[in-house]
């Protein structure tokens, strides 16, 4: 499989005395997928600047094709997907060394959600997502370090529920260096229509017209599993304007790591290594 992706993302923010408004636009293009998105957000701070409230909305329009002709052969044209997103959030300074943030996002989409490269993949033509993310940061002045904690709960209309817990320790090493070790744990249950590779169900789908097929997917991303990701990031602040970093992570996914019950038995373990380089220029 070979693909080329080009993307552009731009945002303009207007800052007022105790508030700001931002407008963003994004566009990406691949051989089989095109996406365009627009967004607007508004933020307002309290008189003492200890609390900031945020509200935002966005709209995404996607066009889906495939490079082997399955979608065009089945439906006769490229498929589309639309989604509306909404966000509410609050950030509060608990003390000079403690800050907490909590955001709730809701998304409602309709259109083509199937995987065009999986012959027997049929999913609902709509999906509603709800996510709640809470972050807490504490600064330890004696160690000149900060602890970052976060928890994210996700639920959607396909019956999926997931939990993500993440922690990072931001340690200044003196001079212009900083090291950030971290650990992330993730757990999810399967979608209502996920099929754990049942050969009887596969055989029953042969010769059945698409409109008469039951909802079904063998996509491992919709299975029940858990994952652990330890990692470490090294940051070098070359100047006040330029920062570079390198990050390494190990990812391990297993059905047995799922919290609250057994994972999908035929979901194979997955391991991956990630190495990321980054640079930032502040102006």
């Amino acid at each position: 499989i070979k693909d080329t992706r080009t993307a552009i993302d731009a945002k303009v923010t207007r800052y007022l005395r105790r508030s700001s408004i931002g407008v963003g636009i994004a566009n990406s293009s691949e051989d089989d997928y095109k996406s365009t998105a627009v967004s607007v957000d508004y933020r307002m701070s309290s008189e003492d600047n200890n609390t900031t409230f945020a509200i935002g909305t966005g709209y995404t329009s996607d066009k889906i094709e495939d490079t082997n002709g399955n979608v065009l052969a089945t439906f006769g044209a490229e498929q589309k997907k639309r989604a509306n997103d909404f966000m509410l959030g609050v950030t509060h300074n608990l003390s000079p060394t403690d800050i907490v943030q909590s955001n709730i996002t809701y998304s409602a989409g309709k259109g083509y959600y199937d995987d065009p490269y999986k012959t027997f993949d049929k999913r609902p033509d709509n999906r509603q997502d709800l996510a709640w993310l809470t972050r807490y940061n504490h600064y330890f002045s004696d160690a000149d370090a900060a602890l970052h904690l976060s928890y994210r709960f996700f639920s959607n209309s396909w019956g999926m529920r997931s939990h993500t817990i993440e922690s990072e320790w931001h340690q200044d090493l003196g001079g212009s260096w900083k090291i950030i070790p971290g650990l992330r744990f993730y757990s999810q249950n399967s979608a209502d229509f996920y099929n754990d590779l049942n050969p009887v169900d596969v055989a029953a789908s042969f010769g059945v017209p698409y409109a008469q097929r039951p909802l079904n997917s063998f996509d491992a991303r919709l299975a029940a599993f858990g994952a652990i990701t330890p990692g470490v990031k090294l940051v070098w602040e070359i100047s006040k304007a330029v920062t570079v970093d390198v990050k390494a992570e190990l990812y391990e996914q297993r059905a047995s790591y799922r919290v609250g019950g057994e994972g999908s038995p035929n979901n194979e373990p997955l391991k991956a290594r990630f190495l990321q380089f980054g640079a930032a220029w502040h102006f």
Side-chain angles (χ1 to χ4, degrees):
I1 297 175
K2 183 179 180 180
D3 199 0
T4 301
R5 182 176 187 266
T6 57
I8 184 171
D9 189 345
K11 183 177 181 179
V12 177
T13 303
R14 171 66 174 175
Y15 293 95
L16 306 173
R17 189 175 71 88
R18 288 193 301 107
S19 62
S20 67
I21 183 169
V23 178
I25 185 170
N27 181 268
S28 65
S29 177
E30 304 172 39
D31 293 344
D32 55 2
Y33 205 102
K34 296 177 176 61
S35 179
T36 301
V38 294
S39 63
V40 178
D41 65 80
Y42 177 75
R43 301 176 187 273
M44 182 179 66
S45 299
S46 59
E47 285 286 354
D48 59 6
N49 286 323
N50 276 340
T51 305
T52 301
F53 301 95
I55 184 172
T57 185
Y59 174 77
T60 304
S61 175
D62 299 340
K63 295 181 180 179
I64 303 99
E65 296 181 348
D66 61 357
T67 56
N68 58 16
N70 282 352
V71 171
L72 296 178
T74 302
F75 299 98
E78 66 179 11
Q79 295 302 296
K80 298 179 180 180
K81 183 171 60 179
R82 306 286 187 266
N84 293 285
D85 304 313
F86 306 93
M87 183 273 292
L88 288 173
V90 60
T91 303
H92 182 63
N93 296 319
L94 300 173
S95 73
T97 58
D98 298 271
I99 186 171
V100 64
Q101 180 188 69
S102 191
N103 294 333
I104 294 178
T105 57
Y106 173 77
S107 177
K110 186 175 180 60
Y112 182 82
Y113 281 94
D114 298 357
D115 187 330
Y117 300 106
K118 292 180 170 61
T119 304
F120 304 109
D121 194 272
K122 183 181 180 182
R123 311 181 189 186
D125 63 358
N126 64 88
R127 192 177 74 187
Q128 294 80 46
D129 300 330
L130 179 68
W132 172 43
L133 172 64
T134 297
R135 298 187 179 104
Y136 170 74
N137 297 347
H138 176 74
Y139 176 70
F140 296 87
S141 56
D142 293 341
D144 193 18
L147 176 64
H148 292 194
L149 301 174
S150 69
Y151 167 74
R152 181 179 185 267
F153 171 76
F154 173 84
S155 173
N156 69 16
S157 57
W158 291 359
M160 300 184 68
R161 306 288 185 273
S162 71
H163 306 269
T164 307
I165 301 174
E166 187 169 5
S167 64
E168 290 183 338
W169 181 264
H170 293 240
Q171 179 66 61
D172 284 330
L173 300 177
S176 56
W177 292 89
K178 178 188 291 185
I179 190 169
I180 309 173
L183 179 65
R184 182 171 62 252
F185 176 75
Y186 177 83
S187 176
Q188 74 172 42
N189 67 313
S190 62
D192 293 336
F193 50 87
Y194 172 71
N195 192 323
D196 203 38
L197 299 179
N198 187 328
V200 176
D201 293 342
V202 175
S205 298
F206 280 100
V208 178
Y210 178 86
Q212 300 177 17
R213 295 179 190 170
L215 296 177
N216 180 79
S217 180
F218 304 109
D219 193 332
R221 293 169 295 181
L222 303 180
F225 62 85
I228 298 176
T229 311
V232 62
K233 183 177 182 179
L234 187 63
V235 182
W236 179 28
E237 186 178 312
I238 300 176
S239 67
K240 291 184 177 180
V242 180
T243 302
V244 296
D245 62 77
V246 58
K247 184 177 183 180
E249 288 185 324
L250 298 176
Y251 177 86
E252 183 170 355
Q253 173 185 308
R254 293 180 180 272
S256 59
Y257 289 172
R258 185 206 167 198
V259 175
E262 297 181 356
S264 301
N266 289 322
N267 188 256
E268 295 293 334
L270 172 66
K271 292 184 178 181
R273 299 182 181 93
F274 298 93
L275 187 62
Q276 173 184 299
F277 298 92
W281 175 35
H282 303 277
F283 60 93

